[in-house]
Amino acid sequence: MKGWMGRFRALFLLSSLALVLSGCGKPYLSALQPKGEGADMIYDLMMLSVIIMAFVFLVVMIIYTIVIVRFRQKKGQEDFVPKQVEGNHLLETVWTVIPIILLLILAVPTVQYTFALADTTPETEDGEPVEDALWIDVTGNQYWWHFDYRDLEIQTSQDLYIPTDRRVYIKLSSNDVIHSFWVPSISGKMDTNPGKNENEMFIHAYEEGVFWGHCAEFCGPSHSLMDFRVVAVSPGEFDEWVADMQAVDPEAVPENPVAAEGKDLFQENSCLACHAIGSSPAAVGPNVTSFGDRSKIAGILPYDKEHLVSWILDPEQHKPGNLMTGKYPMPSKEDAEKIAEYLMSLQPSDIGPDDAEDGEYIQPKPKEETEAEGDEAEEDTNEE
Amino acid sequence: MSTATVGKRSFGAVVWDYLTTVDHKKIAILYLVAGGFFFLLGGLEAMLIRLQLMAPDSELIGAQFYNELFTMHGTTMIFLAAMPLLFALMNAIMPLQIGARDVAFPFINALGFWLFLFGGLLLNCSWFLGGAPDAGWTAYAPLSVISPGHGVDFYALGLQISGFGTLMGGINFIVTIITMRAPGMTYMRMPLFTWSTFVASILILFAFPALTVGLFLLTFDRLFGANFFVPDMGGNEIIWEHLFWIFGHPEVYILILPAFGVFSEVFSTFSKKRLFGYSSMVFATVLIAFLGFMVWAHHMFTVGMGPIANSIFAIATMAIAVPTGIKIFNWLLTMWGGSIRMTTAMLYAVSFIPTFTLGGITGVMLASAAADYQYHDSYFVVAHFHYVIVGGVVFGILGGLTYWWPLMFGKMLNEKLGKWTFWLFFTGFHLTFFIQHFLGLMGMPRRYWKFLEGQGLETGNLISTVGAFLMAIATFILLYNVIITTVKGKKSPADPWDGRTLEWSLPNPTPFYNFKQLPLVRGLDPLWVEKTQGNGKMIPAEPLDDIHMPNNSFLPFTISLGLFIAAFGFMYRVDAGFPAYVAIGVGLAITLGSMLIRSVKDDLGYHIHKEDLEKEGAGE
């Protein structure tokens, strides 16, 4: 897929430019430190255009400097009248033709990559269609993200778990206004449009890690707070996570008595009307099945009980214009703490954001074995 | 009538004169004052934006107010500052450059101004009436349709009214240039500023109707329950984006081409050379305008148009770099071998070259559709379009004003203060926007009310804010310069820069009828031709005779005022009920009544008699 440009990569890396750029920003957020297929391809294209354009800029600046230094009016020569030149056909042809050639050099890979990035037909390297490709339906909402793992009966919000060994195909749509799905370190962005204008793209993380995602299309007061995370884990860990998420019992009563009380309060305060637990089609508000494993609260706040309680009591303070404010009977602070206790106990899987960052790579199990063993799959990872 | 013939007059008389004037030179001053006011307002909004983004997780400004600020900053700067300021230059200079006594339709010229002003005022009334528009200057549906309150209504109606004005201005300039050139002023002898005015006006003629349609649909969606952009009801939100950018992209060239024109004049004058490659410059201008209509969807690469459309628009966009490059090299070669005088105006022109080259470079980078998936809607784009619009258009306006100030006001701006303004503005500009390229690539999307800690964006944003302060200081020095020059400045000579084009052949102050006798144009840079081949004065192309002049009129003001009043009625129709219908009725009655008077009442103008012209210092 990388084509002829990949070979020039070493050359780019040699240039100090690339070195300087790769120092820019944070590795989990910067488009200049690509960690995925799309971001990688775009980075190559970016560098190609930067090199071509740096050449153009250099030429302009050399002529410019000569002009400014040499042709200033000198003292005592105020009456000097320069020759009135009409033009020069040769020069004019040169600076028309050379830019055209330079643009063609950029245009070819641009078209090639534009088509490559738009390819959402799952295929193996031999061109065979992939039957069990992982498709995720991504829905943008003011101001949170919903992820529905097609055919797997798994729904999550805010944290998107993906395996690192393959492309993950996503379909993008929106429930209200236009948003844009952007994880700079993994891939470029794509808009989520309401209505029929659905989009598709693929994301493919090369490395494990927790990558930051932003909403990139202005969508209202809390546009800048519509963050999410992509948790890229090794394929073995991902399989385990899938198995765990599929085995969730939404009715399970937590062992901790405070949390158990919180569960009742969660129902009494009609939280459940919007926030589903388990794979429920209702997605009015973020799905909280694996809330205990979230990397952030509401995508932005540090993950701890204090912030969760503060969020429950006053979401408006944290995300202006959100659709939760005023939609539920306000619990007392004690009740909010109990609800928080319950939510934070929702950890159906042992796989969490930490597993993406521990550097441990677990191979997927061979196919037949996984299907046969089912739920037992979790054992092998924990004991290592 | 003009400052030339009348000495001290009462304040009221001056105000009434400006309210009713149809003289292109006075309308230019009106555009300048109104555009300058909105420029300061947009600048204030920009400063608040930068203050909010100075530190991470800042709570200085609320989210809603921030969204209103950046929406109004963009809308104000494009529609109410940059365009009117360019219109000021076009009005003041273009008729003089082609040797005309006024524009083709002086009445419509005045009407265009008053429509723009009332549209702009309507838009800004929103600040005091429950909040300004908050859906971005691009007002993407469905966010703009569901936005609560009347903010976006003000946007739709305000821009609609001021858009009528712009459209009229554009048509007027086209007709003027086609029909009113002095004898000998062929198309290929027109100065580049006139050429760019001509081409930009054609762009206005074809681009603004798309905006008009878009705004009408938006108005119907918001005020009358239509569903053009509401997907749940069978509408399609993407149509707005297409309509907006079919207007929006040519709009960029409507702004930048006149700035190119200004620089062409400035380079040529202050290098004492004719413009290098004049015909290729004209060709490049026309080509940019033509291609400018075929690239609008490069603003929409991430919308999901598919790889075929994206590739086509990517390549079309790249193609624009070629004529732009031709221009850059022609300017460089204009200076090559010249005798360069670094006046303030020339400083703006000279600094424009590297600045705009950078803006062009990022433009080509953005054109690369696949790569745009990273750049799009990030601070990289913010940096790019500020490099083009500030580094191109605003530098052009500031340079052009400094250059033509003696012609417009009879006095020269202080060069020393002008250079202070330039250096502070130039430094502040690069400090503010260069770093934003990197902020974007580091993962900062645009239109972010706040950025959170832990993303490595703190330093860059702080630098950016510091730069913005330098630009603010520069603007204050400019303002001081204007005031001190107006109050204390001495009368400047008629041709202070050793000019080359027709406008510099006029005495200071310019008579209200411009040319006593229409001049005979004998080549490109007509005044330069006379300076080198004649006696330095234009040869008259006609014997001295009566001059036909238009009468002043108050009707342009009332036509615009009526629409302004009616707009409030339409907006508050639902909440206010009867009084709103009264406003609609009264407003439309004023507008239509004024139009009726204009149609029915013969206004044949008047003549300045030959004898009076002879008395008035016939020496020229």
Side-chain angles (χ1 to χ4, degrees):
Chain A
M1 188 48 64
K2 298 209 38 164
W4 56 275
M5 266 190 53
R7 267 168 261 148
F8 288 95
R9 197 73 193 288
L11 207 117
F12 296 161
L13 286 176
L14 282 179
S15 70
S16 54
L17 182 81
L19 279 177
V20 171
L21 288 183
S22 65
C24 272
K26 300 284 180 195
Y28 43 80
L29 181 65
S30 176
L32 298 169
Q33 300 179 49
K35 300 279 190 295
E37 189 178 343
D40 214 32
M41 288 163 71
I42 294 175
Y43 184 75
D44 285 349
L45 200 53
M46 223 184 260
M47 287 305 115
L48 177 71
S49 62
V50 165
I51 287 169
I52 295 174
M53 289 299 138
F55 168 74
V56 173
F57 190 66
L58 198 70
V59 172
V60 170
M61 287 318 286
I62 289 171
I63 302 175
Y64 180 79
T65 314
I66 295 173
V67 165
I68 298 298
V69 173
R70 256 184 70 187
F71 299 106
R72 293 283 285 275
Q73 188 177 69
K74 311 210 171 42
K75 276 233 156 61
Q77 294 188 357
E78 282 82 4
D79 293 333
F80 164 70
V81 176
K83 191 169 168 239
Q84 305 291 308
V85 191
E86 255 187 58
N88 183 319
H89 281 295
L90 178 69
L91 276 176
E92 288 172 47
T93 315
V94 167
W95 65 54
T96 309
V97 172
I98 292 181
I100 291 178
I101 295 170
L102 292 177
L103 287 174
L104 281 176
I105 295 176
L106 183 60
V108 172
T110 292
V111 172
Q112 195 187 353
Y113 281 23
T114 304
F115 276 86
L117 285 171
D119 177 21
T120 49
T121 326
E123 274 180 2
T124 59
E125 281 176 18
D126 316 320
E128 298 289 313
V130 180
E131 308 267 309
D132 59 343
L134 179 57
W135 275 92
I136 302 171
D137 295 331
V138 175
T139 312
N141 298 272
Q142 281 177 326
Y143 305 98
W144 57 280
W145 295 89
H146 189 71
F147 309 111
D148 185 350
Y149 291 68
R150 212 185 280 176
D151 304 329
L152 289 178
E153 306 241 312
I154 297 174
Q155 311 219 20
T156 66
S157 296
Q158 304 295 44
D159 285 1
L160 174 62
Y161 283 74
I162 57 167
T164 53
D165 64 334
R166 58 192 135 143
R167 286 182 177 181
V168 175
Y169 295 89
I170 59 179
K171 197 193 80 192
L172 299 148
S173 60
S174 165
N175 267 338
D176 34 52
V177 300
I178 304 172
H179 305 276
S180 192
F181 179 92
W182 188 29
V183 193
S185 45
I186 299 183
S187 195
K189 61 185 77 64
M190 186 66 99
D191 290 359
T192 69
N193 302 311
K196 290 175 194 153
N197 299 298
E198 287 170 340
N199 288 324
E200 289 177 352
M201 70 183 280
F202 67 82
I203 50 175
H204 182 185
Y206 287 151
E207 295 177 18
E208 286 188 83
V210 179
F211 303 105
W212 290 39
H214 283 313
C215 173
E217 181 62 64
F218 179 56
C219 59
S222 284
H223 166 54
S224 56
L225 303 173
M226 196 173 152
D227 285 3
F228 61 102
R229 298 287 183 280
V230 171
V231 183
V233 293
S234 60
E237 288 166 320
F238 181 75
D239 289 345
E240 189 190 337
W241 180 81
V242 168
D244 291 342
M245 288 298 284
Q246 286 173 333
V248 165
D249 172 17
E251 303 297 324
V253 179
E255 287 167 24
N256 179 340
V258 183
E261 219 176 311
K263 177 178 160 55
D264 296 334
L265 286 166
F266 191 74
Q267 277 164 347
E268 282 164 28
N269 284 288
S270 67
C271 308
L272 208 47
C274 299
H275 297 285
I277 298 176
S279 178
S280 153
V284 180
N287 185 300
V288 293
T289 309
S290 56
F291 196 91
D293 286 324
R294 286 278 170 85
S295 47
K296 292 272 180 184
I297 288 167
I300 44 168
L301 300 172
Y303 189 84
D304 56 41
K305 197 170 164 185
E306 191 192 334
H307 281 93
L308 181 53
V309 171
S310 166
W311 168 265
I312 294 171
L313 294 176
D314 186 8
E316 194 66 16
Q317 178 203 342
H318 301 291
K319 268 193 184 181
N322 75 80
L323 300 177
M324 175 167 161
T325 304
K327 297 275 168 60
Y328 55 98
M330 186 55 69
S332 66
K333 191 158 191 285
E334 291 75 43
D335 286 355
E337 278 172 359
K338 287 171 190 162
I339 295 173
E341 188 72 34
Y342 168 62
L343 287 173
M344 293 177 78
S345 75
L346 293 171
Q347 288 180 303
S349 177
D350 292 322
I351 302 297
D354 294 343
D355 295 272
E357 285 171 332
D358 61 5
E360 189 181 22
Y361 190 91
I362 299 168
Q363 293 293 342
K365 289 193 158 192
K367 243 185 178 168
E368 308 76 26
E369 214 179 324
T370 332
E371 276 166 15
E373 287 184 31
D375 291 355
E376 288 166 49
E378 61 193 274
E379 281 171 26
D380 47 3
T381 38
N382 295 333
E383 269 126 324
E384 276 172 60
Chain B
M1 198 51 45
S2 83
T3 43
T5 49
V6 186
K8 285 275 173 199
R9 287 177 308 167
S10 74
F11 179 71
V14 175
V15 170
W16 179 251
D17 184 27
Y18 274 93
L19 285 176
T20 58
T21 187
V22 292
D23 179 349
H24 72 98
K25 297 182 288 302
K26 284 184 184 161
I27 291 173
I29 291 170
L30 289 174
Y31 268 118
L32 180 64
V33 172
F37 168 74
F38 285 123
F39 181 76
L40 293 179
L41 204 61
L44 181 69
E45 285 150 10
M47 291 312 294
L48 290 174
I49 292 172
R50 278 320 318 167
L51 277 175
Q52 164 68 13
L53 293 178
M54 193 161 74
D57 207 4
S58 168
E59 290 288 347
L60 184 71
I61 290 169
Q64 176 63 26
F65 185 50
Y66 181 84
N67 291 350
E68 292 172 18
L69 277 177
F70 79 68
T71 301
M72 286 299 281
H73 167 71
T75 315
T76 303
M77 283 304 197
I78 297 279
F79 292 99
L80 309 181
M83 294 211 32
L85 288 172
L86 289 169
F87 266 45
L89 289 178
M90 292 174 178
N91 257 308
I93 307 306
M94 183 273 289
L96 305 182
Q97 279 195 332
I98 60 171
R101 293 216 170 91
D102 204 322
V103 289
F105 308 117
F107 180 89
I108 287 183
N109 201 15
L111 180 57
F113 168 76
W114 291 109
L115 283 170
F116 140 70
L117 183 66
F118 277 109
L121 291 177
L122 178 68
L123 186 56
N124 277 283
C125 282
S126 60
W127 287 117
F128 310 103
L129 295 167
D134 58 355
W137 89 279
T138 51
Y140 273 16
L143 185 67
S144 55
V145 177
I146 62 171
S147 164
H150 284 294
V152 180
D153 300 336
F154 279 103
Y155 170 92
L157 292 170
L159 288 190
Q160 192 69 278
I161 293 174
S162 79
F164 290 151
T166 310
L167 200 47
M168 287 178 197
I171 293 171
N172 200 357
F173 289 142
I174 294 174
V175 179
T176 306
I177 292 172
I178 291 179
T179 61
M180 295 181 67
R181 282 165 292 126
M185 177 60 82
T186 61
Y187 281 108
M188 289 313 272
R189 284 177 183 174
M190 292 197 311
L192 245 282
F193 180 69
T194 296
W195 257 113
S196 59
T197 302
F198 186 47
V199 174
S201 301
I202 295 172
L203 286 177
I204 289 175
L205 180 62
F206 288 104
F208 266 72
L211 178 71
T212 307
V213 170
L215 288 174
F216 262 126
L217 298 183
L218 181 63
T219 308
F220 274 80
D221 270 14
R222 285 189 60 91
L223 295 180
F224 306 112
N227 294 302
F228 295 109
F229 305 128
V230 184
D232 296 342
M233 307 297 287
N236 192 334
E237 71 281 358
I238 308 296
I239 293 173
W240 166 265
E241 295 185 32
H242 281 292
L243 283 172
F244 186 84
W245 288 117
I246 287 172
F247 146 77
H249 197 79
E251 168 71 14
V252 177
Y253 296 108
I254 293 170
L255 294 175
I256 197 65
L257 289 179
F260 284 173
V262 171
F263 290 128
S264 300
E265 307 289 313
V266 170
F267 278 127
S268 171
T269 302
F270 294 110
S271 307
K272 256 193 190 177
K273 271 183 71 194
R274 64 172 278 163
L275 194 65
F276 189 90
Y278 171 84
S279 35
S280 72
M281 286 298 256
V282 172
F283 170 73
T285 308
V286 176
L287 190 63
I288 290 174
F290 181 72
L291 290 173
F293 273 103
M294 318 204 166
V295 297
W296 78 87
H298 69 213
H299 297 267
M300 300 165 59
F301 280 149
T302 66
V303 164
M305 297 181 300
I308 297 172
N310 277 3
S311 300
I312 291 170
F313 280 101
I315 289 170
T317 305
M318 288 180 188
I320 292 191
V322 176
T324 313
I326 291 176
K327 278 181 166 282
I328 296 275
F329 286 112
N330 274 331
W331 285 319
L332 286 173
L333 267 282
T334 301
M335 289 191 282
W336 188 283
S339 175
I340 299 173
R341 280 174 293 160
M342 281 295 175
T343 58
T344 309
M346 186 63 166
L347 278 175
Y348 282 110
V350 164
S351 67
F352 152 82
I353 288 197
T355 311
F356 195 81
T357 307
L358 280 173
I361 281 172
T362 50
V364 174
M365 290 172 73
L366 282 160
S368 177
D372 183 66
Y373 300 157
Q374 290 285 28
Y375 308 133
H376 183 82
D377 263 342
S378 77
Y379 260 77
F380 189 88
V381 174
V382 176
H384 161 73
F385 67 69
H386 281 96
Y387 260 79
V388 180
I389 293 189
V390 181
V393 181
V394 176
F395 278 25
I397 290 170
L398 293 178
L401 282 175
T402 317
Y403 178 57
W404 280 310
W405 200 267
L407 197 66
M408 291 174 77
F409 296 97
K411 294 169 177 179
M412 284 170 83
L413 286 174
N414 184 314
E415 279 284 297
K416 199 170 176 189
L417 286 173
K419 283 177 182 166
W420 270 100
T421 305
F422 166 77
W423 283 110
L424 280 170
F425 198 85
F426 179 79
T427 317
F429 164 74
H430 283 282
L431 215 52
T432 308
F433 294 110
F434 190 73
I435 194 81
Q436 291 186 358
H437 293 112
F438 295 92
L439 284 175
L441 295 174
M442 282 151 70
M444 182 161 167
R446 82 193 262 209
R447 294 170 168 175
Y448 261 30
W449 160 51
K450 53 162 86 165
F451 62 96
L452 303 177
E453 284 171 66
Q455 306 183 76
L457 304 172
E458 289 86 351
T459 321
N461 274 299
L462 183 63
I463 293 174
S464 193
T465 301
V466 171
F469 272 97
L470 289 186
M471 285 200 277
I473 295 170
T475 311
F476 280 117
I477 297 179
L478 174 69
L479 215 59
Y480 174 72
N481 194 354
V482 169
I483 294 168
I484 205 86
T485 306
T486 311
V487 176
K488 288 189 176 163
K490 282 196 283 286
K491 194 178 158 187
S492 74
D495 176 17
W497 311 118
D498 192 9
R500 308 168 66 88
T501 36
L502 210 45
E503 75 269 27
W504 298 112
S505 71
L506 290 163
N508 176 22
T510 310
F512 65 96
Y513 45 80
N514 295 354
F515 294 90
K516 195 179 285 181
Q517 290 160 288
L518 291 186
L520 178 70
V521 175
R522 297 202 292 161
L524 181 69
D525 295 344
L527 185 59
W528 181 257
V529 170
E530 299 304 331
K531 278 177 182 173
T532 50
Q533 295 166 26
N535 65 353
K537 298 218 164 66
M538 296 308 299
I539 305 165
E542 56 176 16
L544 194 61
D545 203 352
D546 289 2
I547 297 175
H548 181 213
M549 296 297 289
N551 280 325
N552 280 6
S553 172
F554 191 50
L555 292 176
F557 183 91
T558 53
I559 292 176
S560 313
L561 178 70
L563 287 179
F564 177 77
I565 295 169
F568 280 102
F570 282 115
M571 240 182 283
Y572 290 95
R573 203 174 45 95
V574 176
D575 1 16
F578 183 69
Y581 285 99
V582 172
I584 296 175
V586 171
L588 289 182
I590 293 175
T591 298
L592 296 174
S594 306
M595 289 162 80
L596 187 72
I597 294 172
R598 172 72 185 166
S599 307
V600 174
K601 204 181 121 210
D602 278 338
D603 183 358
L604 300 173
Y606 66 99
H607 283 84
I608 314 169
H609 294 292
K610 196 171 146 185
E611 295 73 35
D612 296 332
L613 287 170
E614 275 166 349
K615 249 183 278 167
E616 214 181 284
E620 260 98 16

